[in-house]
Every structure is written in C-alpha cells, then in structure tokens.
Amino acid sequence: MGAMKDGALVLFSGGQDSTACLAWALDRYPRVETLGFDYGQRHSVELEARQAVRARMAREFPHWGARLGEDHMLDIRSFGAIGETAMTSDRAIEVTGRGLPSTFVPGRNLVFLVYAAALADRRGLTALVGGMCETDFSGYPDCRRDTLDATERALNLGMEQTFRVETPLMRLTKAQTWGLARALGGEPLVAITVEESHTCYLGERGTLHPWGHGCGACPACELRQRGYEAWDADGRPETRP
Ligand code: ZN
C-alpha cells in the first residue's frame, strides 16, 4: 500500500486554474487522477475542454502522460438545482444582496470536496488538489483557506483518513497563475492553457484571443484577459511552485 499512498485527485473543470493544478500535481505525484462534476452547467463546452487538456498534456509531456490516470465524472445535478444561480439557469451574472456574485453556488466547494474525498478513499489517493484561490475571489467564502482547513479536518475525522486539501493557487494572482504554468511546462503548457482550457461563462469558443477562447466580456473572460495581459506585459515571468 506504500506507493498507493502517493497519489493525487485533481478537481478538474477544464478551466485555466484547474489546468495549472493538474500540471502542478503531475509534476509532483507519481499517480494523478482527475475528477469533474456535472452539476447542470449551461454548457458542455467545459466538459469537452477537460478531455482536450488531458489529451494534449499527456501527448506533449509523455512523463506526465505516464502518471496521468483515470478521469472521473460525477453527476451532482441535484446539487446544481439547489444553487439556481447564473451558472445553472438563465439569470444574469450580477452582484447579489450579500455582496456575492450570482455565479456563486453556495457551498459548492464543500460538496465537491466531500465527493472528491469519498472517491479518493476508494482510489487510494490522499492529496485532493483544487484551484481555490482567495486572491481574486474574496467573494467566494468556500475558497478561503480557513474554510478548506476546516473541511480537511472534517473529512479526516469523518472518514478516518489523512487527506490533504492542497491549493497551489491560493495566494497567486491570475497573472502569477500563468507564470506557474510557464514554470511547470514552459511555453508549450502556456499554449495548451490558452488554446484548450475554457473559462468563459457564456460558453463562447469562436474567437481565439491571445489569452484564450471566450466572449471577452463576461466577468470570467475579463479576469482571464486582465491576468494574461498583466503577465505578458511583465515579460512572462515564471512563478515557482
Ligand atoms: Zn466570456
């Protein structure tokens, strides 16, 4: 069982952040599996992006391809139905009375981690890796490290386990996340992130901008574009993991 312990399960949506997390995990763990959730997203685009990122990473980085194991997809649409926010229905993306963006699905990361831990237990994986970040998303209370520390403790108590909830992006800006991709996989990994990962809330894949595909106007595109342009203007520095 010794070697079996050295494995990671990456919460992988196919976005820029989880693409960086997947590379980070492949760089450090001999066995890495991925987990995605179908919670009634508006678009299947991001589900397709997951497969495209995985396939291209495995092809262009064969030593990572050898470590990359199964992909898991869990249906949690009943949870998505509770959220009923802009992510899962046709409401506009706006800031709500609580000061949270309407894209916030209450408790989403808590639910993700319970499912991830149950699966990781079955798969013999101990690191749960997620792209949660408190730098740009102070509006998301379930992305805060405090919340994740408490969740990790609850999971370990409740499952009699030794899981670690690892959040390599926690203190990084969006610009630094591009730098992390470059440090881990050079410009080829930056290119995979630009061309294959998906961030746009509207599911737009038509135009390829320097920072990736997207409508260029929704909050997710704006954040991604701003981060990329700041990083590029700064000379594309590497962010050491
Ligand atoms: Zn967009």
Side-chain angles (χ1 to χ4, degrees), residues 136 172-180 226-228 230-231 237 239:
D136 290 313
L172 303 188
T173 64
K174 285 291 169 194
Q176 288 171 322
T177 300
W178 287 105
L180 177 63
R226 261 206 315 275
Y228 181 87
W231 176 66
T239 307

Side-chain angles (χ1 to χ4, degrees), residues 200-202 214-218 221:
C200 179
Y201 284 149
L202 303 180
C215 72
C218 76
C221 279

Side-chain angles (χ1 to χ4, degrees), residues 85-223:
T85 68
M87 286 299 273
T88 51
S89 71
D90 285 332
R91 272 177 52 185
I93 296 164
E94 60 197 10
V95 175
T96 67
R98 273 188 297 171
L100 297 171
S102 60
T103 47
F104 172 66
V105 181
R108 188 173 64 173
N109 283 304
L110 304 179
V111 171
F112 285 179
L113 285 167
V114 170
Y115 275 80
L119 178 64
D121 184 276
R122 293 286 169 161
R123 304 292 304 165
L125 304 166
T126 50
L128 309 175
V129 182
M132 293 73 113
C133 165
E134 47 182 40
T135 314
D136 290 313
F137 285 105
S138 50
Y140 292 140
D142 61 344
C143 288
R144 294 175 193 148
R145 191 59 232 188
D146 273 0
T147 304
L148 299 173
D149 285 341
T151 305
E152 179 183 273
R153 182 165 157 71
L155 293 173
N156 286 333
L157 286 170
M159 299 189 194
E160 203 150 21
Q161 261 285 5
T162 55
F163 294 125
R164 296 179 314 283
V165 177
E166 302 194 323
T167 52
L169 312 186
M170 184 55 69
R171 311 283 174 205
L172 303 188
T173 64
K174 285 291 169 194
Q176 288 171 322
T177 300
W178 287 105
L180 177 63
R182 185 159 190 243
L184 291 166
E187 289 294 339
L189 184 60
V190 173
I192 291 173
T193 307
V194 166
E195 291 160 28
E196 310 295 351
S197 78
H198 182 81
T199 302
C200 179
Y201 284 149
L202 303 180
E204 175 60 49
R205 292 295 291 174
T207 311
L208 179 60
H209 309 274
W211 46 269
H213 291 277
C215 72
C218 76
C221 279
E222 278 180 19
L223 201 60

